[in-house]
Amino acid sequence: DFENPAAGRIERRAIAEPAAAPPPAAPAEPAEAGSGADERRGARRAAAAELKAALDAGVRAIDETTFEVDRGLIESVIARPQSAARGARVALRDGGLRLSGVRPDSAHARLGLKSGDTILAVNGVELSSPDKMLEAVTRLRSETTISLAINRRRQPVTLTYQIR
């Protein structure tokens, strides 16, 4: 999600290609009223548990600004960005992606990001527009090192991720 000041609204851009449509489902048995919401909640909980397990196995902090990350985790996040995005609010502001409400157990926190951080660039590609964000994300698949230039409490900080 990003704030489009020219249009005066919040807009959403998908930064990964949409997944192939699932095959048609078999007709279901009639369900009790309200069970659809319960199923969606259960699916969200399962996805969150899956992401947490992947983060626990796929991210190792070397120090406060350097991390090792499994390539499979990068691929998973690119394929399903909405799962990882639930851990913080992100808005296009201040020349980059401004994070707020970063949850302590989120992918963002696990990767060293904090509430108030603004991600300015990924491997030198400035995140000044949705097109630039898409360019940065499409390059991630082939990178062995990812570098985030961020602004934290008005100070420049670089977070480095070694992809293994």
Side-chain angles (χ1 to χ4, degrees):
D1 294 346
F2 67 96
E3 187 175 355
N4 183 342
R9 64 179 179 243
I10 302 292
E11 296 181 2
R12 176 168 285 185
R13 293 281 183 173
I15 56 176
E17 293 184 28
E29 296 289 324
E32 292 180 27
S35 67
D38 292 340
E39 288 175 12
R40 286 189 298 276
R41 247 183 256 112
R44 280 194 300 269
R45 283 189 193 112
E50 181 182 321
L51 178 62
K52 182 178 180 342
L55 286 168
D56 289 345
V59 177
R60 185 174 76 86
I62 295 170
D63 59 38
E64 286 188 22
T65 61
T66 309
F67 302 81
E68 283 186 348
V69 180
D70 284 339
R71 180 160 306 281
L73 181 60
I74 301 289
E75 291 293 333
S76 176
V77 169
I78 290 172
R80 295 183 320 210
Q82 67 280 8
S83 293
R86 288 193 177 101
R89 290 183 300 280
V90 181
L92 184 59
R93 275 194 265 188
D94 304 327
L97 294 176
R98 176 107 172 147
L99 302 175
S100 62
V102 174
R103 295 182 190 151
D105 61 341
S106 69
H108 303 84
R110 184 70 184 204
L111 293 169
L113 295 163
K114 300 178 180 182
S115 287
D117 285 354
T118 300
I119 305 170
L120 303 171
V122 177
N123 285 3
V125 177
E126 292 182 3
L127 302 182
S128 55
S129 71
D131 290 338
K132 290 289 191 178
M133 285 183 265
L134 182 59
E135 178 185 341
V137 169
T138 56
R139 291 182 180 187
L140 293 181
R141 282 194 166 102
S142 61
E143 299 292 347
T144 57
T145 300
I146 298 172
S147 175
L148 296 184
I150 66 172
N151 187 341
R152 178 175 288 160
R153 293 186 214 112
R154 299 185 184 157
Q155 298 295 317
V157 174
T158 300
L159 299 179
T160 304
Y161 307 93
Q162 301 298 324
I163 310 304
R164 54 182 174 179

